[in-house]
Amino acid sequence: MSTLVIVESPTKARTIRNYLPQGYQVEASMGHVRDLPASADEIPPSYKEKEWANLGVDVENGFEPIYVVPKGKKKVVQSLKTALKGVDELILATDEDREGESISWHLLQLLKPKVPIKRMVFHEITREAIQKALKNCREIDENLVHAQETRRILDRLYGYTLSPLLWKKIAWGLSAGRVQSVAVRLLVQRERERRAFLSGGYWDLKALLEQEKSPFESKLITLAGKKIATGSDFDPSTGKITEGRDVVLLNEAEAIALKARLDGKPWTVTKTEEKPTTRKPSPPFTTSTLQQESNRKLGISAKDTMRTAQKLYEEGYITYMRTDSVHLSDEAINAARNCVEQMYGKEYLSPKPCQYTTKSKGAQEAHEAIRPAGNRFRTPQETGLSGQEFALYDLIWKRTVACQMANARLTQIVVNLQVEDAGFRSSGKRIDFPGFFRAYVEGTDDPDAALEDQEVILPPLKQGDHPNCKKLDVLGHETQPPARYTEASLVKTLESEGVGRPSTYASIISTIIDRGYSQMRSKALVPTFTAFAVVSLLENHFPDLVDMKFTSKMEQTLDEIATGESQWLPYLEKFYLGQEGLDTQVKVRVDEIDPGVAKAVILENLDAKVKIGKFGPYIEVQQGEEVITASIPMDLTPCDLTPEQVATLLKQKTEGPEKVGLHPETGETIYLLIGSYGPYVQLGEATEENKKPKRGSLPKGVKPEDVTIDMAVGLLALPRLLGNHPETGAKIKASLGRFGPYVVHDQGKEGKDYRSLKAEDDVLTISFERALELLAQPKKGRGASRGTKKPLRELGVHPDDKEPINIYEGPYGIYIKHGKVNAGLPEGETVETITLETALDLLAAKATTPKKTTRKSTTGTKTTKRTTKAKTSSKTSTTADED
């Protein structure tokens, strides 16, 4: 008897093949084989004239979706049909969540098998799990399929109905999404709070004391019996002490006077207190907590975390990575406890096996937490993994093992001291038993180092002791605005509020950044002016759609559809049709919304108007009869824009750029300007004869007011030729680029080898010898040279020009390279499985993809380049409808 088993990816197929008996053939569907039309080209001709055609959903007849096989999947479907011809049985072994169930259902609809069909599910790829799954096959769960289909249709209706409205009223290419728009609103709300925030200042004292030659610190907490003001006592909207707080607010002069008064006075311990506490280990990872901790500990984005976890799962290292559950199977608990006993000893085991309960709203995905696969956990060193895969597996292993370890026992120590009428306090912490700290400390890479950080040791002190004051410092403080969201904190907030599914958060955050709603700055997500405009429009005209409670209720209903508690069709009809439906709301408001108002971003304390234009945000000011406009640099966000910056931008527009001086060699004027990408210097004016004068960006951290004539001349001289490489004879240059200053070993056709400069290096003065030293160091991080690094795999040569086609790993993932054309690997393909034929198709498709076009507008001495997305023949081509 022969059996065909279909999974999603070649990696998963290759792993499962090892655990199946003879007679089983495993093939990959390469992800989804059927979906709603992604563009106008994919809409079947018989539907093109329908009013709802661009939606891909027949809203007039029971919300019937129009499914199509994407062009790139037709060969896959045909090969699966061919494989099916000679078998006696079909097993659909796609992932066990809603999406996996949906893929199996679509395969069934497309292949129309005439042999018996089984649905096989498992949450880890090990011999035992696969053998058990083979014995417990089931039928396709129609409720799960309906839930996924409803979610897909709902997201399509939301995105493809609202996005065109944003194009008309704000700017082309914007998108709205059921979860995406709520996430963007969270970022905007936080930025509004930061803009409205008023900082308050306060002063206090810190003492360095000594008892029996053991130093310790103590902070001022009271004065004449009253509490000293701290940051929590301030009202963020006024920058002053919150009304009703009875505290002492010291200014600098008062703090200095108090220090002088206390100098030389005796210190007395008035009270000591020790309080035992325990810390419990965190539960094993869910999709959400893995994304959060990976971002905090490893600095890995949600998108890269999920990509790496997917690979670890498909290669049999961890259990299924899309799950809301913190439950562990009995065999997993035993495996974790064996690891604890072998590596740390019996005393570090929890008294009894620990089982955890899922608390997140609507938990539904897989039935077990993310953990190492199998009934024996391989240590990270035993896996043979490296790089990001090793780091993520190590994180998962430690968290899983730690959850079966004993609680950490600590003692909190508080010592109160008095000097004159000033009260001071010292706080300490002693670890009596580290427990799970030995394996895992949340947010910390090194548990051993973390143990030291956890302890704050105080010398033995008792009431009546008189420690010596070695030093007394006056400290000034400023209250800080609320922190911006990071990927980790945004994921945490979305999950805690029940908005969206954790498995989609990675793609949502990527979309927010790609669509220009947010910039990433040192892990923080900073909303742009475009985000402010879009959120304001949605809040004013579609408040429910960006309300977290409303969106959370939508998620609950989708979960109820999955369990059969709610019906999918009535829900879609209520959401989209009728007087309160989305379709009617948009049609009514399309004429009510004034584009001029929609494009405007209202910012307090600014006399100028900020608007969203075709080429990005700009300032608009009325000066007499004339309206003055000036583009806002890309790196300026709403929270950064100040009246001073507005004045500088307008001055440059009305009076021309600031003059730095004359170039010592040419005699031309050097100007200082602010463009879309920030401040820069320019040699001479832009004229008809000289449309592109020499320019040089200011290095990061250099303020326009600090630019000297020597610095400007140096920047305009970049790239600097430092010399020729002693081995290759090729040029070595220093210059500034998108990611900062660098040196490059330019070998022409052989490629370019780049190295970023260190903090202590200056691009204007770096020597040839220092450049050679940097180039000799191993390459790491972003900016790795594609031309000189070794390919992951050589596929062959292109039939047209005989140039090589190779596979490389870059900062954004695996890609295929031929000449100057790069194409990413499609879903389901790996470095090992992709063929030269497939690569040629991908490269051909990439080469014919319309590129971004640049348009130039010249005003005075400045030429501003602005980028717009190439428009296509249908609205559907640029709308994102994923969540």
Side-chain angles (χ1 to χ4, degrees):
M1 181 175 173
S2 59
T3 301
L4 174 64
V5 179
I6 301 179
V7 297
E8 296 93 331
S9 76
T11 304
K12 188 175 176 182
R14 190 167 56 251
T15 309
I16 286 177
R17 227 175 255 133
N18 298 324
Y19 306 133
L20 290 172
Q22 283 190 340
Y24 283 76
Q25 176 186 352
V26 187
E27 299 293 340
S29 70
M30 305 298 184
H32 288 276
V33 291
R34 206 168 67 152
D35 200 0
L36 300 174
S39 68
D41 295 339
E42 290 188 356
I43 298 172
S46 58
Y47 297 111
K48 283 187 180 290
E49 301 305 317
K50 300 289 186 181
E51 189 178 345
W52 44 264
N54 71 306
L55 297 173
V57 178
D58 186 352
V59 295
E60 297 171 357
N61 292 291
F63 290 85
E64 187 69 28
I66 309 304
Y67 289 122
V68 296
V69 178
K71 186 178 179 181
K73 291 297 177 71
K74 289 182 179 178
K75 286 185 180 179
V76 174
V77 173
Q78 188 55 51
S79 67
L80 292 176
K81 287 181 177 179
T82 302
L84 185 60
K85 287 180 180 178
V87 301
D88 304 307
E89 182 183 51
L90 172 64
I91 294 180
L92 300 170
T94 53
D95 292 340
E96 62 178 325
D97 59 4
R98 294 172 185 154
E99 192 169 1
E101 205 74 16
S102 177
I103 292 173
S104 281
W105 181 81
H106 280 291
L107 284 167
L108 196 61
Q109 301 299 307
L110 275 175
L111 301 179
K112 296 181 172 58
K114 296 178 181 178
V115 296
I117 305 144
K118 292 180 181 177
R119 173 79 172 104
M120 183 170 83
V121 294
F122 43 86
H123 66 272
E124 61 181 338
I125 306 176
T126 61
R127 186 175 302 280
E128 295 79 7
I130 298 304
Q131 294 299 325
K132 183 179 179 181
L134 269 176
K135 296 175 183 177
N136 294 279
C137 290
R138 60 169 173 80
E139 294 182 353
I140 288 177
D141 188 328
E142 293 291 338
N143 284 333
L144 282 181
V145 173
H146 278 313
Q148 179 62 22
E149 190 170 55
T150 305
R151 185 182 295 273
R152 186 76 182 95
I153 293 171
L154 185 68
D155 290 339
R156 173 58 66 98
L157 296 175
Y158 189 118
Y160 277 44
T161 303
L162 275 178
S163 297
L165 180 70
L166 300 181
W167 305 342
K168 290 178 183 177
K169 304 300 181 181
I170 299 177
W172 174 266
L174 298 178
S175 69
R178 180 172 56 87
V179 178
Q180 170 197 314
S181 296
V182 174
V184 173
R185 188 189 184 206
L186 283 172
L187 302 185
V188 169
Q189 285 177 320
R190 180 60 54 85
E191 205 72 2
R192 287 171 179 164
E193 292 172 11
R194 288 175 62 87
R195 270 197 74 84
F197 177 84
L198 291 175
S199 181
Y202 59 98
W203 292 76
D204 57 19
L205 304 181
K206 183 174 76 171
L208 177 63
L209 305 174
E210 189 178 72
Q211 175 76 4
E212 296 179 355
K213 297 185 179 181
S214 295
F216 64 100
E217 291 184 350
S218 196
K219 292 182 179 179
L220 178 69
I221 59 166
T222 63
L223 187 62
K226 278 191 176 183
K227 178 180 176 290
I228 293 291
T230 62
S232 60
D233 294 308
F234 284 79
D235 183 341
S237 63
T238 64
K240 298 179 180 179
I241 297 296
T242 303
E243 190 176 345
R245 297 281 176 93
D246 187 19
V247 293
V248 177
L249 177 61
L250 293 179
N251 59 33
E252 184 178 12
E254 290 168 337
I256 291 172
L258 178 61
K259 173 185 180 298
R261 182 161 64 86
L262 299 181
D263 272 343
K265 298 296 190 295
W267 291 65
T268 304
V269 175
T270 58
K271 182 182 178 183
T272 64
E273 182 181 3
E274 293 194 1
K275 182 180 178 183
T277 61
T278 59
R279 283 272 306 276
K280 295 181 179 180
S282 299
F285 282 127
T286 63
T287 301
S288 169
T289 54
L290 178 63
Q291 290 176 20
Q292 293 172 49
E293 193 72 344
S294 173
N295 186 247
R296 281 195 296 257
K297 271 188 179 240
L298 308 178
I300 304 176
S301 69
K303 182 179 180 180
D304 284 346
T305 297
M306 294 308 293
R307 179 176 61 82
T308 305
Q310 174 104 25
K311 189 173 182 184
L312 289 174
Y313 162 67
E314 291 182 345
E315 292 180 347
Y317 290 105
I318 64 171
T319 53
Y320 192 51
M321 67 289 155
R322 284 192 278 271
T323 175
D324 292 337
S325 175
V326 292
H327 173 78
L328 288 177
S329 64
D330 289 341
E331 71 170 15
I333 289 175
N334 290 334
R337 294 180 72 82
N338 286 338
C339 285
V340 175
E341 190 170 342
Q342 291 168 13
M343 299 192 72
Y344 304 108
K346 283 187 177 181
E347 68 272 23
Y348 281 91
L349 272 173
S350 59
K352 61 181 182 179
C354 298
Q355 192 57 270
Y356 296 86
T357 304
T358 301
K359 295 180 181 179
S360 65
K361 298 180 181 179
Q364 53 79 39
E365 301 279 1
H367 304 299
E368 194 170 359
I370 302 170
R371 61 167 176 83
N375 53 22
R376 176 192 169 275
F377 292 170
R378 285 174 283 185
T379 65
Q381 290 72 27
E382 289 175 328
T383 61
L385 294 168
S386 61
Q388 211 167 81
E389 292 168 23
F390 176 88
L392 196 64
Y393 181 85
D394 183 62
L395 192 69
I396 293 166
W397 186 92
K398 287 176 177 175
R399 177 88 161 216
T400 309
V401 169
C403 82
Q404 295 302 316
M405 294 179 73
N407 295 342
R409 298 195 298 273
L410 305 90
T411 298
Q412 303 283 356
I413 306 164
V414 176
V415 177
N416 288 347
L417 303 103
Q418 195 73 23
V419 51
E420 298 286 298
D421 58 347
F424 283 73
R425 176 171 293 164
S426 299
S427 299
K429 182 163 55 177
R430 182 178 67 242
I431 297 177
D432 301 314
F433 176 67
F436 74 92
F437 282 172
R438 282 289 306 277
Y440 187 89
V441 180
E442 196 164 15
T444 306
D445 288 328
D446 184 353
D448 292 328
L451 283 175
E452 295 180 15
D453 294 339
Q454 290 280 327
E455 284 198 304
V456 180
I457 303 298
L458 294 178
L461 291 163
K462 62 182 184 297
Q463 189 173 338
D465 281 348
H466 300 286
N468 296 321
C469 180
K470 308 298 289 184
K471 188 179 180 183
L472 192 57
D473 291 324
V474 175
L475 301 179
H477 309 273
E478 293 285 331
T479 57
Q480 299 299 313
R484 288 175 171 132
Y485 282 102
T486 61
E487 287 196 27
S489 59
L490 182 61
V491 164
K492 184 177 182 179
T493 300
L494 290 173
E495 187 194 29
S496 65
E497 295 295 335
V499 175
R501 304 264 22 106
S503 57
T504 66
Y505 293 159
S507 63
I508 287 165
I509 291 171
S510 292
T511 300
I512 288 171
I513 295 170
D514 294 343
R515 292 280 172 175
Y517 290 129
S518 176
Q519 297 176 5
M520 184 71 79
R521 290 191 192 170
S522 302
K523 288 191 177 184
L525 292 163
V526 185
T528 61
F529 290 98
T530 301
F532 269 67
V534 169
V535 167
S536 292
L537 185 149
L538 295 175
E539 285 176 332
N540 292 331
H541 300 281
F542 307 95
D544 281 349
L545 298 183
V546 285
D547 180 74
M548 279 205 294
K549 290 181 180 178
F550 179 84
T551 309
S552 177
K553 183 66 174 72
M554 292 173 73
E555 203 65 50
Q556 290 174 35
T557 305
L558 290 168
D559 289 339
E560 289 167 3
I561 291 169
T563 59
E565 298 171 60
S566 293
Q567 298 301 306
W568 67 279
L569 184 55
Y571 178 68
L572 287 176
E573 288 173 340
K574 181 180 178 183
F575 173 77
Y576 195 72
L577 302 176
Q579 290 299 312
E580 300 300 320
L582 179 61
D583 187 45
T584 304
Q585 287 187 55
V586 171
K587 287 176 179 175
V588 168
R589 286 167 175 75
V590 72
D591 294 325
E592 295 178 355
I593 299 172
D594 180 354
V597 175
K599 292 173 188 285
V601 177
I602 307 301
L603 298 175
E604 301 81 5
N605 306 322
L606 278 186
D607 294 332
K609 295 179 182 176
V610 176
K611 291 191 174 181
I612 307 299
K614 189 175 182 180
F615 305 111
Y618 64 93
I619 299 163
E620 181 180 284
V621 173
Q622 186 84 33
Q623 290 189 356
E625 298 292 320
E626 189 180 6
V627 175
I628 308 295
T629 63
S631 295
I632 297 174
M634 290 182 66
D635 61 343
L636 269 187
T637 61
C639 195
D640 303 324
L641 191 62
T642 63
E644 293 75 23
Q645 288 165 326
V646 170
T648 300
L649 293 170
L650 292 173
K651 181 181 178 183
Q652 175 180 298
K653 191 68 178 285
T654 56
E655 301 178 13
E658 181 183 340
K659 296 179 181 179
V660 179
L662 299 178
H663 196 287
E665 296 176 10
T666 68
E668 292 177 275
T669 302
I670 298 177
Y671 296 99
L672 177 63
L673 303 96
I674 299 176
S676 297
Y677 298 96
Y680 63 96
V681 290
Q682 176 177 295
L683 182 62
E685 295 189 18
T687 63
E688 283 299 319
E689 295 75 27
N690 184 24
K691 293 182 178 180
K692 293 184 177 180
K694 178 72 175 174
R695 291 172 178 161
S697 296
L698 267 58
K700 187 177 180 181
V702 175
K703 298 178 180 179
E705 57 267 28
D706 296 334
V707 175
T708 63
I709 185 66
D710 290 338
M711 183 188 295
V713 170
L715 291 171
L716 290 167
L718 296 177
R720 290 173 56 220
L721 178 61
L722 303 180
N724 297 89
H725 198 285
E727 296 177 9
T728 66
K731 295 177 180 178
I732 294 177
K733 301 175 183 177
S735 193
L736 272 173
R738 180 183 173 193
F739 302 114
Y742 64 88
V743 290
V744 59
H745 178 201
D746 187 353
Q747 300 181 71
K749 289 184 178 180
E750 296 298 316
K752 297 180 180 181
D753 193 16
Y754 293 89
R755 292 293 185 280
S756 295
L757 300 194
K758 307 296 183 183
E760 62 271 19
D761 296 317
D762 185 341
V763 69
L764 300 180
T765 60
I766 187 171
S767 67
F768 176 64
E769 292 74 23
R770 174 59 176 160
L772 286 177
E773 182 184 336
L774 290 172
L775 288 165
Q777 295 175 5
K779 189 185 298 292
K780 54 185 177 180
R782 195 203 300 258
S785 168
R786 295 180 181 180
T788 58
K789 68 180 178 183
K790 185 179 177 181
L792 300 177
R793 183 182 166 203
E794 297 177 359
L795 290 175
V797 297
H798 199 288
D800 294 342
D801 58 13
K802 306 305 178 186
E803 288 293 316
I805 297 176
N806 296 331
I807 301 176
Y808 294 92
E809 181 166 16
Y812 305 109
I814 309 295
Y815 65 94
I816 307 160
K817 181 176 180 64
H818 168 243
K820 293 184 178 180
V821 180
N822 297 337
L825 253 63
E827 182 184 1
E829 286 284 11
T830 66
V831 175
E832 297 80 14
T833 61
I834 194 164
T835 63
L836 177 60
E837 182 184 13
T838 303
L840 288 169
D841 290 342
L842 292 167
L843 290 165
K846 185 71 173 181
T848 57
T849 301
K851 293 184 178 180
K852 293 181 179 180
T853 59
T854 59
R855 298 180 64 180
K856 303 175 185 178
S857 62
T858 306
T859 306
T861 60
K862 175 185 170 185
T863 302
T864 304
K865 290 187 178 181
R866 293 163 173 173
T867 304
T868 55
K869 292 184 179 177
K871 294 186 180 181
T872 57
S873 59
S874 167
K875 295 175 182 177
T876 60
S877 60
T878 56
T879 306
D881 62 304
E882 290 297 333
D883 279 306

PDB file of all heavy atoms in Angstrom, residues 461-476:
ATOM      1  N   LEU A 461      23.954  45.509  60.033  1.00  0.00           N
ATOM      2  CA  LEU A 461      23.575  46.750  60.718  1.00  0.00           C
ATOM      3  C   LEU A 461      22.465  46.461  61.697  1.00  0.00           C
ATOM      4  O   LEU A 461      21.572  45.642  61.431  1.00  0.00           O
ATOM      5  CB  LEU A 461      23.098  47.798  59.690  1.00  0.00           C
ATOM      6  CG  LEU A 461      24.167  48.383  58.744  1.00  0.00           C
ATOM      7  CD1 LEU A 461      23.503  49.055  57.560  1.00  0.00           C
ATOM      8  CD2 LEU A 461      25.055  49.372  59.496  1.00  0.00           C
ATOM      9  N   LYS A 462      22.496  47.163  62.836  1.00  0.00           N
ATOM     10  CA  LYS A 462      21.416  47.015  63.809  1.00  0.00           C
ATOM     11  C   LYS A 462      21.052  48.394  64.345  1.00  0.00           C
ATOM     12  O   LYS A 462      21.802  49.370  64.193  1.00  0.00           O
ATOM     13  CB  LYS A 462      21.846  46.088  64.944  1.00  0.00           C
ATOM     14  CG  LYS A 462      23.031  46.569  65.767  1.00  0.00           C
ATOM     15  CD  LYS A 462      23.388  45.532  66.820  1.00  0.00           C
ATOM     16  CE  LYS A 462      24.518  46.023  67.724  1.00  0.00           C
ATOM     17  NZ  LYS A 462      25.779  46.251  67.002  1.00  0.00           N
ATOM     18  N   GLN A 463      19.877  48.472  64.939  1.00  0.00           N
ATOM     19  CA  GLN A 463      19.399  49.738  65.471  1.00  0.00           C
ATOM     20  C   GLN A 463      20.396  50.308  66.481  1.00  0.00           C
ATOM     21  O   GLN A 463      20.904  49.610  67.345  1.00  0.00           O
ATOM     22  CB  GLN A 463      18.035  49.531  66.141  1.00  0.00           C
ATOM     23  CG  GLN A 463      17.349  50.829  66.532  1.00  0.00           C
ATOM     24  CD  GLN A 463      15.930  50.571  67.027  1.00  0.00           C
ATOM     25  OE1 GLN A 463      15.341  49.552  66.724  1.00  0.00           O
ATOM     26  NE2 GLN A 463      15.394  51.501  67.779  1.00  0.00           N
ATOM     27  N   GLY A 464      20.700  51.609  66.321  1.00  0.00           N
ATOM     28  CA  GLY A 464      21.641  52.277  67.221  1.00  0.00           C
ATOM     29  C   GLY A 464      23.045  52.379  66.677  1.00  0.00           C
ATOM     30  O   GLY A 464      23.879  53.104  67.238  1.00  0.00           O
ATOM     31  N   ASP A 465      23.346  51.653  65.568  1.00  0.00           N
ATOM     32  CA  ASP A 465      24.672  51.754  64.962  1.00  0.00           C
ATOM     33  C   ASP A 465      24.892  53.153  64.394  1.00  0.00           C
ATOM     34  O   ASP A 465      23.933  53.847  63.996  1.00  0.00           O
ATOM     35  CB  ASP A 465      24.830  50.726  63.838  1.00  0.00           C
ATOM     36  CG  ASP A 465      25.126  49.328  64.381  1.00  0.00           C
ATOM     37  OD1 ASP A 465      25.426  49.219  65.581  1.00  0.00           O
ATOM     38  OD2 ASP A 465      25.044  48.350  63.601  1.00  0.00           O
ATOM     39  N   HIS A 466      26.198  53.551  64.337  1.00  0.00           N
ATOM     40  CA  HIS A 466      26.541  54.884  63.817  1.00  0.00           C
ATOM     41  C   HIS A 466      27.552  54.760  62.673  1.00  0.00           C
ATOM     42  O   HIS A 466      28.762  54.909  62.882  1.00  0.00           O
ATOM     43  CB  HIS A 466      27.114  55.758  64.937  1.00  0.00           C
ATOM     44  CG  HIS A 466      26.175  55.970  66.070  1.00  0.00           C
ATOM     45  ND1 HIS A 466      25.082  56.799  66.005  1.00  0.00           N
ATOM     46  CD2 HIS A 466      26.161  55.415  67.325  1.00  0.00           C
ATOM     47  CE1 HIS A 466      24.452  56.781  67.159  1.00  0.00           C
ATOM     48  NE2 HIS A 466      25.068  55.941  67.976  1.00  0.00           N
ATOM     49  N   PRO A 467      27.092  54.467  61.456  1.00  0.00           N
ATOM     50  CA  PRO A 467      28.028  54.355  60.329  1.00  0.00           C
ATOM     51  C   PRO A 467      28.643  55.711  60.002  1.00  0.00           C
ATOM     52  O   PRO A 467      28.079  56.761  60.318  1.00  0.00           O
ATOM     53  CB  PRO A 467      27.157  53.847  59.181  1.00  0.00           C
ATOM     54  CG  PRO A 467      25.771  54.267  59.535  1.00  0.00           C
ATOM     55  CD  PRO A 467      25.692  54.232  61.039  1.00  0.00           C
ATOM     56  N   ASN A 468      29.808  55.673  59.372  1.00  0.00           N
ATOM     57  CA  ASN A 468      30.494  56.897  58.972  1.00  0.00           C
ATOM     58  C   ASN A 468      30.042  57.336  57.581  1.00  0.00           C
ATOM     59  O   ASN A 468      29.885  56.508  56.690  1.00  0.00           O
ATOM     60  CB  ASN A 468      32.015  56.683  58.954  1.00  0.00           C
ATOM     61  CG  ASN A 468      32.563  56.387  60.319  1.00  0.00           C
ATOM     62  OD1 ASN A 468      32.118  56.986  61.310  1.00  0.00           O
ATOM     63  ND2 ASN A 468      33.509  55.459  60.402  1.00  0.00           N
ATOM     64  N   CYS A 469      29.865  58.636  57.429  1.00  0.00           N
ATOM     65  CA  CYS A 469      29.509  59.176  56.111  1.00  0.00           C
ATOM     66  C   CYS A 469      30.799  59.552  55.383  1.00  0.00           C
ATOM     67  O   CYS A 469      31.510  60.470  55.799  1.00  0.00           O
ATOM     68  CB  CYS A 469      28.602  60.404  56.253  1.00  0.00           C
ATOM     69  SG  CYS A 469      28.124  61.110  54.654  1.00  0.00           S
ATOM     70  N   LYS A 470      31.100  58.837  54.294  1.00  0.00           N
ATOM     71  CA  LYS A 470      32.321  59.095  53.537  1.00  0.00           C
ATOM     72  C   LYS A 470      32.107  60.164  52.462  1.00  0.00           C
ATOM     73  O   LYS A 470      33.042  60.885  52.103  1.00  0.00           O
ATOM     74  CB  LYS A 470      32.811  57.801  52.869  1.00  0.00           C
ATOM     75  CG  LYS A 470      32.941  56.617  53.815  1.00  0.00           C
ATOM     76  CD  LYS A 470      33.963  56.866  54.915  1.00  0.00           C
ATOM     77  CE  LYS A 470      35.371  56.851  54.369  1.00  0.00           C
ATOM     78  NZ  LYS A 470      36.383  57.003  55.423  1.00  0.00           N
ATOM     79  N   LYS A 471      30.849  60.252  51.980  1.00  0.00           N
ATOM     80  CA  LYS A 471      30.581  61.194  50.894  1.00  0.00           C
ATOM     81  C   LYS A 471      29.092  61.490  50.838  1.00  0.00           C
ATOM     82  O   LYS A 471      28.268  60.609  51.086  1.00  0.00           O
ATOM     83  CB  LYS A 471      31.042  60.573  49.558  1.00  0.00           C
ATOM     84  CG  LYS A 471      30.996  61.514  48.378  1.00  0.00           C
ATOM     85  CD  LYS A 471      31.499  60.774  47.117  1.00  0.00           C
ATOM     86  CE  LYS A 471      31.471  61.675  45.907  1.00  0.00           C
ATOM     87  NZ  LYS A 471      31.886  60.953  44.672  1.00  0.00           N
ATOM     88  N   LEU A 472      28.741  62.746  50.537  1.00  0.00           N
ATOM     89  CA  LEU A 472      27.341  63.139  50.418  1.00  0.00           C
ATOM     90  C   LEU A 472      27.189  63.948  49.129  1.00  0.00           C
ATOM     91  O   LEU A 472      27.823  64.990  48.959  1.00  0.00           O
ATOM     92  CB  LEU A 472      26.916  63.984  51.628  1.00  0.00           C
ATOM     93  CG  LEU A 472      25.415  64.239  51.815  1.00  0.00           C
ATOM     94  CD1 LEU A 472      24.625  62.940  51.915  1.00  0.00           C
ATOM     95  CD2 LEU A 472      25.175  65.103  53.066  1.00  0.00           C
ATOM     96  N   ASP A 473      26.389  63.437  48.208  1.00  0.00           N
ATOM     97  CA  ASP A 473      26.237  64.073  46.887  1.00  0.00           C
ATOM     98  C   ASP A 473      24.855  64.679  46.727  1.00  0.00           C
ATOM     99  O   ASP A 473      23.852  64.155  47.258  1.00  0.00           O
ATOM    100  CB  ASP A 473      26.441  63.049  45.769  1.00  0.00           C
ATOM    101  CG  ASP A 473      27.882  62.589  45.680  1.00  0.00           C
ATOM    102  OD1 ASP A 473      28.779  63.425  45.911  1.00  0.00           O
ATOM    103  OD2 ASP A 473      28.104  61.397  45.389  1.00  0.00           O
ATOM    104  N   VAL A 474      24.805  65.790  45.982  1.00  0.00           N
ATOM    105  CA  VAL A 474      23.545  66.422  45.594  1.00  0.00           C
ATOM    106  C   VAL A 474      23.201  65.940  44.185  1.00  0.00           C
ATOM    107  O   VAL A 474      24.015  66.058  43.271  1.00  0.00           O
ATOM    108  CB  VAL A 474      23.676  67.961  45.601  1.00  0.00           C
ATOM    109  CG1 VAL A 474      22.408  68.609  45.080  1.00  0.00           C
ATOM    110  CG2 VAL A 474      23.993  68.461  47.001  1.00  0.00           C
ATOM    111  N   LEU A 475      21.997  65.400  44.021  1.00  0.00           N
ATOM    112  CA  LEU A 475      21.593  64.856  42.726  1.00  0.00           C
ATOM    113  C   LEU A 475      20.360  65.572  42.187  1.00  0.00           C
ATOM    114  O   LEU A 475      19.390  65.788  42.920  1.00  0.00           O
ATOM    115  CB  LEU A 475      21.292  63.359  42.840  1.00  0.00           C
ATOM    116  CG  LEU A 475      22.433  62.450  43.323  1.00  0.00           C
ATOM    117  CD1 LEU A 475      21.937  61.010  43.400  1.00  0.00           C
ATOM    118  CD2 LEU A 475      23.627  62.544  42.398  1.00  0.00           C
ATOM    119  N   GLY A 476      20.409  65.915  40.901  1.00  0.00           N
ATOM    120  CA  GLY A 476      19.255  66.506  40.237  1.00  0.00           C
ATOM    121  C   GLY A 476      18.587  65.490  39.327  1.00  0.00           C
ATOM    122  O   GLY A 476      19.256  64.637  38.717  1.00  0.00           O
TER     123      GLY A 476
END
